[in-house]
């Protein structure tokens, strides 16, 4: 039996907020300001080795991890709350994650792209079997399955655009924001799978066992959003 | 891979349990069963495998995707390995015990097997213990069962858990009374269950605002009841809220210290339940300890009978409880072996040496025992 964990059980444990590194983090900062969470100084130093950061709230700590890991930390209750894209949420489909808010940041889309040359003669309606390089094998297979197309996914963790050039496959499924990277690599979008934005997410168990605190933070983020929109 | 390593490797989600864990687990199961017995529930046992069709009927209807199946060479029918024991208890209650006096109080403990573990609990073979109270519709039955769930989990060594209450049929009934079509109802249920405000915002008409208010009413029982009472609901639906309030008050009389939350959007895994349902959540987001509620079982003649029960997830309980100390055990060297029976009678666990040991204390330490018997005395190591 798996009993390695002897976690101290206390409602006094700080709530942990998991934030994604990179592009989205910049857009998250104004929201943190709006809800009144001020991370300690080291948080602003992207070269710092520190992974956990205190905030001006003694009951709230921040961890900074990869976007995919935000979802995993929150699903397994390592972190109570987090911010990550719905691309990640749909890829994993964790039942233990509640996604109560669309934060309206981190906008982009998930699309199928292929070489410009191929797109001139290719008819997506006639596909029966495709080989696709992607960071999102679950979303990709589901999308193609819904269309009655067999998809063979090659999982890559980055630089998807290289895959068609180097002959791994002819098509890719990836996030597109401006389309510059695709163009620079001689690729073109042929189909859009979905729009992506970042969500405020909450662990289901935390929502149930610490409802007052967790609901209060959901409320604050929602207020901050509405103030932004107004 | 070496031969020894390949023998040690088990299929994913299956594991060996060693001492003292296996003993602790057995003792937790026995604590749970003792709680059930103390309320007069009679223990029954059912087989690991039975006809697939029976296992998938009634409350078992959603278990198909999680079930291991095998072909029975004797009957040439498909057998399923149980993924849950509730369905079996329902079968027994409506067949073998159809004529037994009602209300029928039954309890069980046993292993179940799944094709795939949960996202949080990767184990495919887990132990479940639980009760079913068959044939009584009064809310006192719901109260007895939830009360027993709280007491038994507490007796198993867990404190500070939260009891989350829901009415899985509330949202569909509300949708029905508002004239919402089936497809939208499914979307609303899903959104309320996963706390997805955007989907609710996107609803047309006043329904969106009402369901958003319902979502924000999820939380600590007192606040939730107050917010639910303020909703503008059809009379038939509103009476369910009054029923919930009365139930909460009655439960508080018996368990004043338990943390209660209400979340009427919660329905996952309660698809086939009706009436009140509950989930016990481990402290600090460690997942579900137990869940249960009211459902109906149908007998061979098609008559439906009401039942209420719960299942405790023993593996989750084991994870959430504090570690016990290693049990005390006395080593008695071979020369003193005659003393062993007396010490056992006094309640000690006693191991006697099988060969003469030069240094009894040393030998006891080597074997990991806590005490040694030396010159008429028990010394702690």
């Amino acid at each position: 039996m798996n009993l390695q964990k002897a976690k101290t059980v206390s409602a006094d444990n700080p709530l942990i907020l998991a934030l994604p590194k990179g592009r989205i983090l910049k857009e998250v900062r104004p929201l943190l300001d709006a809800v009144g969470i001020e991370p300690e100084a080291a948080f602003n130093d992207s070269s710092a080795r520190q992974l956990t950061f205190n905030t001006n709230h003694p009951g709230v700590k921040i961890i900074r991890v990869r976007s995919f890991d935000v979802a995993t930390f929150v699903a397994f209750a390592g972190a109570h709350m987090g911010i990550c894209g719905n691309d990640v949420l749909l890829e994993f489909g964790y039942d233990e994650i509640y996604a109560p808010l669309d934060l309206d940041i981190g906008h982009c889309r998930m699309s199928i792209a292929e070489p410009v040359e191929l797109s001139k003669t290719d008819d997506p309606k006639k596909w029966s079997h495709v080989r696709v390089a992607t960071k999102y094998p679950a979303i990709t297979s589901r999308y193609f399955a819904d269309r009655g197309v067999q998809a063979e996914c090659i999982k890559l963790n980055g630089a998807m655009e290289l895959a068609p050039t180097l002959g791994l496959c002819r098509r890719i499924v990836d996030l597109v924001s401006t389309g510059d990277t695709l163009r620079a690599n001689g690729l073109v979008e042929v189909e859009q799978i979905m729009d992506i934005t970042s969500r405020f997410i909450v662990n289901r168990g935390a929502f149930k066992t610490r409802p007052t605190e967790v609901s209060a933070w959901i409320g604050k983020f929602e207020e901050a959003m509405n103030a932004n929109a107004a | 891979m070496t031969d020894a390593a390949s023998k040690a490797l088990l299929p994913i989600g299956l594991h060996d349990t060693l001492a003292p864990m296996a003993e602790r687990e057995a003792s937790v199961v026995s604590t749970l069963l003792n709680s059930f017995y103390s309320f007069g529930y009679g223990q029954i046992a059912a087989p690991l495998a039975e006809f697939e069709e029976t296992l998938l009927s009634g409350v078992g209807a959603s278990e198909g995707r999680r079930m291991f199946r095998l072909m029975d060479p004797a009957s040439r029918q498909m057998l399923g390995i149980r993924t849950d024991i509730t369905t079996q208890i329902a079968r027994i209650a409506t067949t073998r015990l159809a004529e037994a006096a009602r209300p029928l109080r039954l309890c069980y403990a046993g292993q179940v097997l799944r094709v795939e573990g949960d996202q949080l609990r990767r184990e495919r073979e887990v132990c479940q213990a639980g009760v079913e109270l068959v044939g009584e519709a009064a809310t006192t039955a719901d109260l007895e069962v939830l009360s027993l769930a709280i007491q038994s989990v507490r007796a198993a060594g867990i404190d500070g858990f939260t009891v989350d209450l829901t009415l899985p049929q509330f949202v569909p009934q509300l949708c029905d009374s508002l004239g919402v079509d089936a497809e939208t109802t499914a979307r609303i249920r899903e959104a309320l269950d996963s706390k997805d405000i955007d989907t609710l915002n996107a609803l047309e008409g006043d329904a969106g605002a009402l369901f958003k208010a319902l979502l924000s009413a999820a939380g600590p029982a007192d606040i939730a009841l107050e917010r639910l009472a303020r909703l503008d609901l059809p009379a038939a639906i509103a009476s369910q809220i009054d029923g919930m309030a009365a139930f909460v008050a009655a439960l508080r009389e018996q368990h004043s210290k338990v943390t209660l939350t209400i979340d009427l959007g919660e329905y996952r895994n309660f698809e086939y339940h009706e009436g009140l349902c509950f989930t016990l959540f481990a402290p600090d987001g460690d997942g579900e300890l137990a869940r249960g509620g009211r459902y109906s079982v149908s007998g061979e003649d098609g008559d439906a009978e009401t039942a209420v029960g719960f299942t405790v997830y023993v593996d989750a309980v084991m994870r959430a409880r504090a570690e016990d100390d290693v049990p005390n055990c006395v080593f008695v060297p071979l020369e003193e072996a005659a003393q062993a029976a007396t010490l056992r009678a006094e309640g000690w666990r006693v191991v006697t040496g099988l060969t003469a040991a030069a240094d009894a204390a040393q030998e006891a330490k080597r074997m990991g025992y806590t005490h040694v018997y030396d010159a008429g005395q028990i010394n702690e190591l």
Side-chain angles (χ1 to χ4, degrees), chain A residues 19 36 38 57 65 121 127 146-147 152-153 161 188 214 224 229:
Chain A
L19 297 179
E38 265 174 55
H57 295 269
V65 294
T121 54
W127 293 345
D146 284 347
R147 292 188 30 183
E152 187 188 324
C153 296
E161 295 80 5
V188 62
V214 171

Side-chain angles (χ1 to χ4, degrees), chain B residues 348-359:
Chain B
W348 285 93
R349 294 185 182 204
V350 180
V351 172
T352 53
L354 301 175
T355 54
D359 181 340

Side-chain angles (χ1 to χ4, degrees), chain A residues 14-28:
Chain A
L15 283 177
I16 296 179
L17 172 66
L19 297 179
K21 286 179 180 172
R23 181 178 63 92
I24 298 170
L25 192 56
K26 287 197 190 72
E27 296 185 54
V28 169

Side-chain angles (χ1 to χ4, degrees), chain A residues 3-4 7 14 23 45 70 87 92 126 164 190 197 205 225 227:
Chain A
L3 278 175
Q4 72 284 58
K7 201 150 124 183
R23 181 178 63 92
D45 174 8
V70 167
D87 51 331
F92 288 127
K126 292 185 179 158
V190 287
T197 51
M225 294 270 317

